[in-house]
Amino acid sequence: MSLTVQTEQRADMVVVSVAGELDMATAPQLQDQISDLLEKGRTRLVFDLAQVSFCDSTGLSVFVRAKNSTDDAGGTVRLAAPQRGVLRILEVSGLVEVLRTYPTVDEAVAAQEPALD
């Protein structure tokens, strides 16, 4: 299965819509898109996962690297609308505690995050 990635600017956030299976074969494609956004100074990212049917540890690591990179640049990463299976992987891995996850893209874009100490 292939992966498609599209981006859309919404307010001060970039919504990265991902569709397909996010695994060892397709994760580099998403990583390249993220690297391109970061090089352009886009450090506030929302990943729309509504169309992601599968995500393995390689895919999860892409989100962790994105979070680390955006944190270093004063930005943020938010995950939105993961399907049940993807949400379960985030929960089991403990990443739902690290990566802010929202039920919808609109909620992720509009969320006001607490200041970090």
Side-chain angles (χ1 to χ4, degrees), residues 2-77:
S2 64
L3 188 77
T4 59
V5 181
Q6 297 179 333
T7 60
E8 172 192 1
Q9 188 75 38
R10 288 183 55 184
D12 65 341
M13 307 290 289
V14 176
V15 176
V16 182
S17 298
V18 185
E21 294 184 358
L22 186 53
D23 57 22
M24 186 169 46
T26 59
Q29 178 185 346
L30 180 57
Q31 185 63 56
D32 289 347
Q33 288 275 355
I34 295 167
S35 296
D36 187 51
L37 289 168
L38 295 173
E39 286 173 15
K40 293 177 180 174
R42 305 288 193 255
T43 60
R44 298 179 52 77
L45 308 176
V46 171
F47 291 95
D48 178 358
L49 304 180
Q51 299 300 314
V52 175
S53 57
F54 175 80
C55 181
D56 71 4
S57 61
T58 312
L60 294 178
S61 70
V62 170
F63 297 127
V64 171
R65 282 195 303 273
K67 181 189 183 323
N68 291 340
S69 296
T70 59
D71 283 354
D72 290 346
T76 187
V77 164

